[in-house]
Amino acid sequence: MTETHQRASFTSFEESTAEDWAIIAPQLSVTQGMVADRVIDLMRALEFDHGGFPVNRLEHSLQTATRAEKDGQDDEYVLCALIHDIGDTLSPYAHPDIAAGIVKPFVSEANHFMVKHHGEFQGYYFWHYLGMDKEARDAHRDNPFFDHTEEFCAKYDQKAFDSDYVSNPLEHYEPLIRKILRSADNAS
């Protein structure tokens, strides 16, 4: 049996009606309900890219999250630690923006800032080797979340390249991903 789903009938937004949007609006929660599975799939894909680093990108993410979790950080922070580099294989230069876009509706302003700007803060540890300004993070020095982001990179992100470290597996974090990203009702 084939399911039929009601669809709007316009060919441009300009032609759309209130009735069309009454069909479309409820679908947002359906789509949001798929996000956790898509995030988990993207996390799994990180296993196949090491980018020259000592560990693959999934292991780096798992180490970052495991370190934050073992240090007593809350679930929201641990989720951010886990998926902060989820965009690495999609857009290496804009990967913080990808992760920040995913978590924005669900996390605090401090954690959103941390994810969005972690690349500039992480650069403190190595950009000078690439001819870049390692002090680029100083552009955010007056931001109230500067210390929060600096600490994330110092304690968790920049240390998460240890091939001998025993991380929690992705399956350990799947319930957390599902809990936080499940719906707009859960958005901050």
Side-chain angles (χ1 to χ4, degrees):
M1 179 158 99
T2 303
E3 284 187 50
T4 59
H5 298 282
Q6 194 174 19
R7 290 183 177 225
S9 59
F10 59 83
T11 58
S12 70
F13 280 175
E14 189 174 58
E15 296 172 0
S16 68
T17 65
E19 291 79 18
D20 289 323
W21 289 100
I23 294 167
I24 295 167
Q27 294 303 310
L28 181 59
S29 63
V30 173
T31 302
Q32 186 62 47
M34 297 181 224
V35 168
D37 288 333
R38 290 179 177 151
V39 165
I40 292 166
D41 289 344
L42 285 171
M43 292 301 299
R44 285 189 185 119
L46 294 176
E47 181 178 6
F48 304 103
D49 182 20
H50 59 76
F53 292 99
V55 298
N56 66 48
R57 294 181 190 285
L58 175 60
E59 178 56 29
H60 167 68
S61 297
L62 293 170
Q63 277 189 37
T64 306
T66 301
R67 290 171 186 277
E69 182 180 16
K70 286 183 176 180
D71 201 29
Q73 296 293 342
D74 65 24
D75 285 352
E76 181 185 297
Y77 190 104
V78 171
L79 175 75
C80 289
L82 178 67
I83 72 169
H84 75 283
D85 280 346
I86 197 168
D88 263 343
T89 59
L90 299 172
S91 180
Y93 296 112
H95 78 273
D97 292 321
I98 292 169
I102 292 169
V103 301
K104 185 176 183 178
F106 306 99
V107 302
S108 68
E109 192 177 348
N111 285 335
H112 177 258
F113 180 91
M114 176 182 80
V115 172
K116 184 169 179 60
H117 297 284
H118 79 272
E120 296 162 89
F121 282 72
Q122 190 77 321
Y124 175 80
Y125 297 96
F126 67 91
W127 278 4
H128 55 291
Y129 298 125
L130 303 172
M132 298 169 66
D133 181 9
K134 75 179 260 174
E135 304 294 343
R137 69 185 187 177
D138 283 346
H140 303 287
R141 180 80 51 192
D142 293 335
N143 189 286
F145 309 123
F146 182 94
D147 292 341
H148 183 70
T149 307
E150 181 180 45
E151 179 183 74
F152 168 72
C153 289
K155 290 176 78 173
Y156 311 119
D157 195 11
Q158 66 94 16
K159 293 183 177 184
F161 298 95
D162 182 350
S163 60
D164 294 324
Y165 187 83
V166 179
S167 301
N168 293 324
L170 181 58
E171 294 76 19
H172 172 82
Y173 294 109
E174 287 181 17
L176 175 66
I177 294 168
R178 292 181 197 294
K179 178 179 92 171
I180 295 177
L181 301 182
R182 71 176 171 246
S183 72
D185 296 338
N186 198 39
S188 297

